[in-house]
Amino acid sequence: MANVRSYCLNVRVGNWNEDMYLAEAELKDFVERKDRGQLAVQKSSFLNDSLLQQVDLTVSTDGGLHIGDTVMLVNMGGSSRGCTAVSINADTSSLTNPPGPVIQAPCGVSAGQSVQPCTRTAFSITSIDGASSGTPLYYGQSFALRTTSGFAGALCLTSDLQTFQRCAKKSRLQEVSLNMDSSFLSWWKIVHFDPQERLEYEGLPAPANVKVLIVHCKTNQALAVLGDQVLWTAFGREYEVTAHTFLDSHKAENDNNHWLIATSDPGGAGLLIVGHQKDTTADATEPHSPTQNE
């Protein structure tokens, strides 16, 4: 009798009926979510494919920026970081429900090390005073920066005074994020990077692909990338973006605040970043000298 098996796998014990129905319900729910594209792996793949879809930047034939241009915000880097671009920092929780999932506000931004023009890195220069598309953008003129329409949701780059509840996650400085709000919180202006020449350039056409400062109109803080504050995003290791003016001993802004508003190469060779070929501080400012424009 010791070798007689009193139990085998076919014997139903316990709540076998409930377990069977539960397994069938779980399988049915899995199939339904798969058909709707709501599985985590499907959302992650859809997010990556949508955000990394290539975008054509505007070709600046006159070397300047204009209302309606599609551009990238590129920081050429410094001692502790490489070249980065302001990017949408979204994950699967940032997506709205089907049909037509898009990025919902509020959404974070970060400085990604990929400077390829795509949905994640492209921004549109938007007028806040009703100026028509194609109108030149000037130093000191207020404007808004929107993500591309469609999947990116046409969200505005916004910022506000820091509080205990509203601040950057790592540095605790002034937060920069993407929102639907198109109020004063989303107004920015371009300022010449050299403080000694700032007044002379006020009101002149703002150049593309030249080192400038992007200043928040309400708080008067400059857009900055922090090489010592690392964010782990769905796209890897990136840096925190904040609105804070970093000054050196000469009361001039550090390279954390220096940006190129990048457009496409008129020759069709792709993204044009002058700083990759030569120093933009000396050569690129000559065509926009105040004496030549006056």
Side-chain angles (χ1 to χ4, degrees):
M1 297 296 294
N3 296 328
V4 175
R5 297 178 59 186
S6 59
Y7 173 77
C8 65
L9 295 178
N10 294 328
V11 176
R12 296 176 175 178
V13 296
N15 297 328
W16 62 269
N17 193 41
E18 290 82 354
D19 293 340
M20 181 180 66
Y21 279 107
L22 179 61
E24 292 178 353
E26 290 178 348
L27 179 60
K28 182 180 179 181
D29 179 66
F30 173 82
V31 173
E32 289 178 351
R33 289 190 294 115
K34 179 182 178 182
D35 293 339
R36 295 195 301 264
Q38 293 184 346
L39 297 180
V41 64
Q42 291 176 312
K43 288 184 177 181
S44 179
S45 177
F46 174 77
L47 179 70
N48 290 348
D49 293 343
S50 300
L51 285 180
L52 298 180
Q53 186 174 3
Q54 183 178 353
V55 171
D56 294 328
L57 301 183
T58 299
V59 176
S60 180
T61 56
D62 59 358
L65 296 171
H66 308 83
I67 300 297
D69 284 358
T70 302
V71 299
M72 288 176 55
L73 309 181
V74 179
N75 184 283
M76 295 306 297
S79 58
S80 61
R81 67 189 188 284
C83 183
T84 55
V86 176
S87 309
I88 299 174
N89 183 12
D91 53 24
T92 54
S93 63
S94 303
L95 297 176
T96 60
N97 294 325
V102 296
I103 296 177
Q104 60 182 345
C107 181
V109 294
S110 59
Q113 301 182 51
S114 173
V115 292
Q116 296 301 318
C118 59
T119 302
R120 187 171 183 242
T121 57
F123 290 85
S124 176
I125 299 176
T126 306
S127 170
I128 52 93
D129 55 6
S132 59
S133 181
T135 303
L137 184 68
Y138 299 95
Y139 280 109
Q141 178 183 354
S142 299
F143 64 96
L145 288 165
R146 286 185 179 272
T147 58
T148 56
S149 58
F151 177 78
L155 305 178
C156 288
L157 191 70
T158 62
S159 186
D160 199 358
L161 293 170
Q162 66 193 95
T163 64
F164 287 112
Q165 291 79 22
R166 183 181 60 246
C167 57
K169 293 181 179 179
K170 293 285 187 176
S171 63
R172 315 303 294 178
L173 297 175
Q174 186 173 312
E175 183 183 26
V176 176
S177 61
L178 296 171
N179 284 281
M180 293 296 297
D181 188 10
S182 58
S183 65
F184 190 40
L185 300 180
S186 61
W187 292 15
W188 302 84
K189 62 182 178 180
I190 297 175
V191 175
H192 195 273
F193 82 98
D194 189 346
Q196 296 183 349
E197 300 184 15
R198 198 158 290 169
L199 290 177
E200 287 80 358
Y201 277 84
E202 189 77 16
L204 294 178
N209 310 299
V210 172
K211 189 186 300 183
V212 295
L213 269 63
I214 304 175
V215 178
H216 189 240
C217 292
K218 177 182 177 180
T219 61
N220 203 37
Q221 295 292 330
L223 189 68
V225 55
L226 307 181
D228 57 345
Q229 302 294 341
V230 176
L231 299 175
W232 290 100
T233 71
F235 299 88
R237 183 177 184 269
E238 298 182 344
Y239 302 121
E240 188 171 64
V241 173
T242 184
H244 186 81
T245 304
F246 293 91
L247 300 177
D248 59 20
S249 58
H250 300 286
K251 301 298 182 181
E253 289 80 8
N254 289 332
D255 53 17
N256 304 73
N257 299 124
H258 294 168
W259 297 90
L260 304 180
I261 303 182
T263 60
S264 186
D265 184 4
L271 179 65
L272 176 61
I273 299 180
V274 180
H276 280 172
Q277 292 92 14
K278 57 183 178 180
D279 184 14
T280 62
T281 62
D283 299 334
T285 55
E286 286 188 9
H288 303 276
S289 173
T291 58
Q292 295 177 1
N293 286 274
E294 291 176 348

